[in-house]
Amino acid sequence: PPPPPPRMAPAPTATVTIGVQEDYTRLAFRFAGPTTVTPSLQGNRLDLRFSRAADIDIAELRASMPRFLREARRVSAPGAPVRLQLTLDAGVRHRHFVDGDRVVIDLLAPEGGPAASLTIEQGEAPIPAQSPVRGNAFARLTEEANSTRLTVTWPEPARAAAFRRGGALWVMFDATGRIDLTGVARAGRRHQNIEVVNGEGVVGLRIPAEPDVLISAAPSENSWVITLGARADNSAPAALTRVIEPGGGAQLRARFGREGVVRWVRDPEIGDRIGVALVGGPARGVDVRRATVEAAVLPSAHGAVIEPRADGVTAMFVAGDLVISNGEGLIAAAAETPRDNASVALLEQSLTEAQAAPAQPEMELVEVRLRLEDLNRRAANEGVREGAPATARLDLARFLLRQELAAETLGALRVAAINQGELVEIDPEYRLMRAAANIMMGRTAAAQPDLAASLLARNPSAALWRGYSAYLRREWGEARRELERGGAALEEHPAAWRARFQLALAASALELGDHAAADAAVKAAAGQAPDQSLRLQARLLEARLTEVRGDHGRALAMLDELVRARDEEVAVRASLEALRMRRAKGVMRAIDVVEPLEALRFRWRGDALELATVSMLGECYSELGRWREALATMRASAERYPADPAVRHLRADMANLFERLFLDGEADKLEPVRALGLFYEFSDLTPVGPNGDRIVRLLAGRLVHVDLLEQAAQLLQHQVDERLDGISKAQVAADLAVIYLMDHKPDRALVALASSRQPNMPQLLLADRRILEARALMDLGRLDAAVELVERDHSDDAQRVRADAAWRARDWDRAAVELRALLNARDRAQPMDQGSRQAVLRAGIALTLAGNEEGVRGLYREFAGDLANSEEADAFEIVAAGVHADGAAIRDVARAVARTDLLDRFVTRLKSQITEHAANGPAPAGPPAPAPGQPPAQPPQAAAQQPPPTPPAA
């Protein structure tokens, strides 16, 4: 029979409590009755002889050595008066007194200050312990789209530590004050209830959060900025190593390279005591978890956290290093391995041996075949009919799934559901096996309904498969969360799948920036991998981790080694990573990378690896200006594998390239026809929303510049009809009307303007639209309507409309008057431009055709100097001859002048604005339109030309 369970130890009859002050450490021993003590100090060893025998508990004292104390031992025999030996730091003094049943021992700071000696090895300089910051801190929390920022400000710079332990994030400070959380939301998007945690000379915050929330820390003067998010800022890790001592013991050392202090605090959820190593900035943490029999060091964003697992574990800073040790040395790192510690030594070497061991299948091939024959025979005996038993079918499905025969597993499960239809609804194992088989075949969408069923909501094995499915879909946050939740079910799966789950967890953590978790998962996968292929995949992830930690030379050497591996997938992935790294470091140019990428593209086809290769190839082509090759290559792969999750990222890369080309001005470097061809070939990439609208308007401007008016009008017509509203619609409709007028389609211009009228339009836009409408009416022969439209408009453009309408109506007297008014309105201080000179010629011809010889002579006297030595000088001389000139000459000049357009300058200005509106947005500047019943505001130049108001009659 097994031995009876041990009895619980009785409660101790004497206890010790610890208090740490700035100048001394107090040890208070409480006995069952009055007790005296006789202290004796020799060197740095204090011998305490108490007058009473007792069962004293000094486990807490040994587990968390306070300041000035290095070791505590009980040297008295059971039943004898208590005798303790305390090993003190160099120079520490003591005093004692008795208070009833308490004996108080104070350990005083050495002469000259409170600094305590932490020397534990010969030749190392001690680092003085810094006093905690005194005073209160205030906290401020800001939630953003991708992260949550918590800023804690102290009266002076304080050492800190930031880490995750279990389901909570910790932020601890070397301070004794209070943290004011007034105004801080205790729960938010990425955190739950924030609670304050106090320890011995340390205070901080414990923040419960989901496993995929990572923590980063950054100092800022007297503040620490703590960031919670899906990614962690990479801090320079402190190297964590084991150091073997000459006597066979060992130490764990974290090389921070700066002074620090270790404080002890109790976890309010678990109840145990942990040591927190607090250091100053900049951020430096521990990126790997290292555990021994006596202690464990957890990963941290800043500082370190120590979990003691045995009595006598000490942690202190020595010459910039965090040293974790005990009196006997850490047993897991002992140089000599006695017989009773053989299992510990074997554990120490398990990872290396597992990587070197050949793959061992769980069953021989002959055994697998015999087992399959037996299961198939039993399943066939059950038959295929409703109501028949399905036990043998399920046994067959389990065996097939274990052998990774996924398609055969689905067939066995389908027949089992025919026999017993209720299996789908009541049997969680059935749904889990069906989901796992679908995932093995890469059919993640088919597996989702089974994995999301309420039957599997709390199943840890289902969490593993949910995480692996999310990993295949490249949803890193969900993958990591589910894989960590399913960690308890890892041992239920074969070694190959345990390794795959760990590799998926490592890849997800690496993508999220948690390098410590990724490193731990990679090592676990390498230790469990049963075949060379999985070990090579772990090695590839290790190379990526080496790169992100800054050791690019070693990472490239590892990748080059993997390129020569016999595993084709690993070799292609390693080649792609090596090319990406060399291109990022500038070792290879884009033109040098294209040819190797083209080879890799055809070397491996059919999954996310090909899509990653194509994406990098597209980037290289775009960098070289070979836009069509970039987009065509990426589109071909995206259309070939539309259901692959990686296609989302590839299409996003294509959309970014398209926007760079047509929105950021890269297309301006191409010939217009080539740019237009690219747009029409890849028009399906036009983004939805404002950016897409801007691309279309920019393209319309380019079409106008190359006189492809019909195509430009089609693009803008779609914008007006389907995309735009309000002022933007009115502005783009004005641009569309300009294009229709240039294309001699005034009726379409009128429709565009009439269908886009808006209330409260800016005055400048109203004026331009009015002139455009008048021009369209004139082109349709409705001259009176055009003049009536601009009757109250005194601007130069409106005057040109009136003059052009009179000219087209052959009302020569009226035309001469309107043209003279146009010429009188110009700035006489400025030289006459071509439009004004053409107006002078028109006025002269109108006066000649009206028979006004005196008017012609006056026109000649006024403008002969302005037109001298110009292109119009000879024509003006013929016109100035008036009715005495040869009729044929007058007719030739009249034809030439009639071919010019008085509104050409206006149309040219609006034509140049089409591209400007497309680039800067269609909303024009200017004052809003007046309210109904009020006179419209005039532009500055029109207001200046308006005649003064006539006073009302008496």
Side-chain angles (χ1 to χ4, degrees):
R7 299 181 60 186
M8 184 177 295
T13 58
T15 59
V16 59
T17 57
I18 308 167
V20 179
Q21 301 297 326
E22 183 176 357
D23 298 323
Y24 64 92
T25 295
R26 173 162 292 180
L27 308 178
F29 299 87
R30 186 180 296 274
F31 290 81
T35 306
T36 60
V37 64
T38 303
S40 174
L41 180 62
Q42 294 183 354
N44 64 337
R45 178 171 295 173
L46 179 63
D47 195 0
L48 301 178
R49 297 175 182 268
F50 296 89
S51 61
R52 181 182 294 273
D55 180 17
I56 188 168
D57 181 14
I58 61 170
E60 183 176 353
L61 181 63
R62 290 173 57 85
S64 56
M65 293 295 177
R67 195 165 49 151
F68 306 144
L69 182 62
R70 291 173 53 186
E71 186 180 4
R73 297 172 54 197
R74 176 175 178 173
V75 295
S76 58
V82 175
R83 180 184 173 190
L84 301 179
Q85 282 187 356
L86 306 182
T87 303
L88 310 179
D89 292 333
V92 173
R93 301 165 295 147
H94 75 282
R95 67 187 178 195
H96 73 281
F97 62 92
V98 177
D99 181 16
D101 60 349
R102 288 196 317 150
V103 177
V104 179
I105 306 295
D106 287 342
L107 305 179
L108 307 177
E111 293 289 346
S117 174
L118 300 180
T119 303
I120 63 172
E121 289 189 10
Q122 187 175 2
E124 291 184 337
I127 295 180
Q130 175 181 317
S131 300
V133 172
R134 295 180 178 273
N136 297 331
F138 65 91
R140 184 176 70 255
L141 187 139
T142 306
E143 286 199 327
E144 300 176 349
N146 299 321
S147 62
T148 298
R149 249 190 358 264
L150 176 66
T151 304
V152 181
T153 304
W154 293 93
E156 57 183 287
R159 292 166 171 168
F163 55 90
R164 170 181 283 278
R165 188 173 193 239
L169 303 172
W170 292 62
V171 187
M172 305 302 295
F173 303 98
D174 186 18
T176 58
R178 183 174 58 87
I179 300 178
D180 185 4
L181 295 177
T182 304
V184 173
R186 297 299 178 94
R189 186 184 305 174
R190 297 173 186 86
H191 65 281
Q192 301 171 18
N193 186 37
I194 301 178
E195 58 179 325
V196 178
V197 179
N198 291 279
E200 301 165 5
V202 63
V203 64
L205 303 174
R206 183 179 179 274
I207 309 170
E210 292 295 325
D212 58 342
V213 178
L214 305 181
I215 186 170
S216 305
S220 176
E221 296 181 353
N222 292 356
S223 303
W224 279 93
V225 180
I226 311 300
T227 304
L228 312 182
R231 295 181 179 270
D233 295 337
N234 299 332
S235 60
L240 183 60
T241 59
R242 277 194 290 262
V243 179
I244 307 299
E245 296 177 337
Q251 302 170 347
L252 285 178
R253 279 179 173 259
R255 304 191 180 279
F256 284 93
R258 66 188 74 167
E259 62 175 5
V261 66
V262 178
R263 309 290 190 196
W264 295 85
V265 65
R266 189 175 298 279
D267 190 323
E269 181 178 14
I270 302 175
D272 62 339
R273 288 167 57 84
I274 58 175
V276 181
L278 304 153
V279 294
R284 170 165 288 188
V286 177
D287 63 346
V288 295
R289 183 181 186 274
R290 184 64 62 87
T292 68
V293 175
E294 282 92 352
V297 180
L298 306 184
S300 58
H302 181 62
V305 55
I306 305 103
E307 291 182 346
R309 298 178 174 180
D311 294 341
V313 174
T314 60
M316 60 191 71
F317 277 85
V318 178
D321 295 349
L322 172 64
V323 179
I324 303 157
S325 178
N326 71 358
E328 305 296 331
L330 298 178
I331 190 172
E336 299 295 332
T337 307
R339 182 175 179 179
D340 56 341
N341 289 337
S343 61
V344 179
L346 182 62
L347 178 63
E348 186 70 16
Q349 301 175 1
S350 61
L351 179 60
T352 304
E353 293 176 357
Q355 291 178 343
Q360 296 291 333
E362 296 186 3
M363 295 179 65
E364 295 292 339
L365 183 58
V366 174
E367 296 175 345
V368 172
R369 289 177 178 174
L370 293 176
R371 178 66 173 159
L372 271 178
E373 290 177 2
D374 178 59
L375 290 172
N376 276 316
R377 187 165 46 252
R378 292 167 49 199
N381 292 333
E382 288 181 341
V384 183
R385 65 185 184 279
E386 186 176 356
T391 304
R393 295 281 180 188
L394 291 178
D395 291 340
L396 175 61
R398 293 186 191 97
F399 185 78
L400 290 171
L401 187 65
R402 190 170 187 85
Q403 301 304 317
E404 300 189 25
L405 299 173
E408 291 81 355
T409 302
L410 289 175
L413 291 172
R414 187 176 296 112
V415 176
I418 293 174
N419 292 2
Q420 299 289 333
E422 67 275 6
L423 284 174
V424 180
E425 302 298 332
I426 67 173
D427 191 352
E429 184 188 12
Y430 179 92
R431 303 200 72 166
L432 182 58
M433 285 194 294
R434 188 167 67 176
N438 278 314
I439 291 175
M440 287 181 183
M441 298 177 66
R443 297 161 56 179
T444 56
Q448 286 304 109
D450 286 326
L451 293 175
S454 58
L455 292 172
L456 301 177
R458 299 183 179 276
N459 190 313
S461 186
L464 287 176
W465 290 104
R466 281 194 295 269
Y468 195 77
S469 175
Y471 158 74
L472 295 178
R473 300 194 307 270
R474 304 174 70 84
E475 297 174 1
W476 311 116
E478 181 182 354
R480 178 183 178 179
R481 181 168 56 252
E482 294 294 340
L483 287 167
E484 288 182 341
R485 286 177 179 173
L490 273 175
E491 297 302 323
E492 300 174 6
H493 295 78
W497 276 101
R498 291 201 300 271
R500 291 189 185 103
F501 291 143
Q502 293 287 3
L503 288 174
L505 177 59
S508 303
L510 181 58
E511 293 291 339
L512 294 173
D514 190 350
H515 303 149
D519 183 75
V522 164
K523 291 180 178 178
Q528 296 172 353
D531 56 52
Q532 183 69 12
S533 176
L534 291 172
R535 286 193 290 272
L536 288 174
Q537 293 180 36
R539 182 72 170 170
L540 180 60
L541 281 174
E542 186 181 353
R544 292 181 57 192
L545 277 169
T546 304
E547 180 207 354
V548 298
R549 288 172 179 163
D551 194 350
H552 300 284
R554 181 166 177 266
L556 276 175
M558 296 170 67
L559 291 173
D560 291 339
E561 179 184 351
L562 291 171
V563 167
R564 298 186 293 272
R566 293 185 178 181
D567 188 297
E568 186 70 4
E569 181 180 0
V570 171
V572 173
R573 289 187 183 276
S575 300
L576 185 63
E577 285 294 326
L579 289 173
R580 179 190 60 78
M581 193 183 306
R582 287 188 170 95
R583 182 166 177 257
K585 301 302 291 182
V587 178
M588 297 181 70
R589 300 172 300 168
I591 193 171
D592 301 324
V593 178
V594 167
E595 186 174 350
L597 286 175
E598 284 285 5
L600 290 178
R601 175 189 170 196
F602 293 101
R603 182 178 172 184
W604 186 270
R605 307 293 296 268
D607 61 5
L609 180 54
E610 180 192 352
L611 298 177
T613 305
V614 168
S615 178
M616 187 184 300
L617 184 59
E619 292 178 5
C620 295
Y621 276 141
S622 63
E623 186 176 334
L624 296 172
R626 297 160 63 176
W627 299 99
R628 188 184 181 282
E629 293 174 86
L631 293 171
T633 302
M634 299 168 80
R635 170 187 273 178
S637 296
E639 291 177 350
R640 190 157 51 244
Y641 313 111
D644 196 296
V647 170
R648 296 197 308 269
H649 303 279
L650 186 61
R651 291 193 180 276
D653 293 339
M654 293 169 64
N656 291 335
L657 286 180
F658 191 82
E659 290 192 12
R660 282 180 53 197
L661 188 60
F662 291 102
L663 198 59
D664 298 342
E666 294 290 343
D668 297 341
K669 303 174 185 177
L670 305 176
E671 297 177 2
V673 176
R674 187 179 175 190
L676 296 177
L678 278 174
F679 177 83
Y680 282 117
E681 185 175 358
F682 301 101
S683 58
D684 57 303
L685 297 176
T686 305
V688 177
N691 284 346
D693 296 338
R694 287 186 59 199
I695 288 177
V696 171
R697 291 196 292 273
L698 282 170
L699 182 63
R702 294 180 65 86
L703 289 168
V704 169
H705 280 295
V706 294
D707 290 331
L708 295 176
L709 302 177
E710 183 177 356
Q711 291 82 353
Q714 290 175 357
L715 291 175
L716 293 187
Q717 187 70 60
H718 176 77
Q719 295 283 298
V720 171
D721 294 341
E722 305 293 340
R723 296 288 307 156
L724 301 176
D725 291 307
I727 304 301
S728 300
K729 181 176 181 178
Q731 176 63 74
V732 176
D735 297 340
L736 178 61
V738 172
I739 296 174
Y740 279 138
L741 290 176
M742 294 168 61
D743 201 21
H744 307 292
K745 296 178 180 178
D747 53 337
R748 304 290 297 273
L750 281 178
V751 172
L753 292 170
S755 62
S756 61
R757 289 194 176 97
Q758 303 292 330
N760 301 324
M761 282 189 289
Q763 285 297 317
L764 293 180
L765 178 58
L766 272 174
D768 288 345
R769 287 170 57 92
R770 186 164 50 243
I771 300 302
L772 288 172
E773 188 174 355
R775 171 63 184 272
L777 290 171
M778 284 195 300
D779 288 349
L780 291 172
R782 299 168 59 184
L783 303 178
D784 293 341
V787 173
E788 183 179 0
L789 186 63
V790 297
E791 182 178 7
R792 297 180 180 276
D793 192 343
H794 298 277
S795 65
D796 288 348
D797 294 329
Q799 188 64 36
R800 289 188 177 90
V801 170
R802 289 189 286 268
D804 198 10
W807 178 276
R808 295 188 187 196
R810 298 178 180 273
D811 187 351
W812 306 119
D813 290 331
R814 182 65 181 169
V817 171
E818 297 292 349
L819 288 167
R820 288 288 297 183
L822 178 63
L823 293 171
N824 291 335
R826 75 179 186 88
D827 187 1
R828 299 300 182 94
Q830 299 294 329
M832 186 171 286
D833 58 10
Q834 184 179 8
S836 298
R837 294 196 298 269
Q838 291 290 333
V840 171
L841 287 178
R842 282 198 178 218
I845 293 172
L847 290 170
T848 299
L849 295 176
N852 189 346
E853 184 177 356
E854 182 63 29
V856 173
R857 286 197 295 270
L859 188 70
Y860 182 79
R861 286 193 300 270
E862 185 175 355
F863 295 104
D866 292 327
L867 269 69
N869 300 322
S870 67
E871 296 178 359
E872 294 82 4
D874 294 339
F876 190 53
E877 291 294 337
I878 295 174
V879 172
V883 294
H884 302 292
D886 181 43
I890 285 289
R891 285 195 297 274
D892 291 341
V893 174
R895 291 192 192 96
V897 171
R899 282 195 294 268
T900 64
D901 190 349
L902 286 176
L903 290 173
D904 181 67
R905 182 168 55 184
F906 171 77
V907 175
T908 302
R909 175 174 62 85
L910 292 187
K911 177 181 175 181
S912 64
Q913 287 179 354
I914 292 177
T915 304
E916 180 183 351
H917 292 157
N920 302 328
Q934 296 182 358
Q938 298 292 333
Q941 65 273 20
Q945 297 167 8
Q946 234 182 341
T950 305

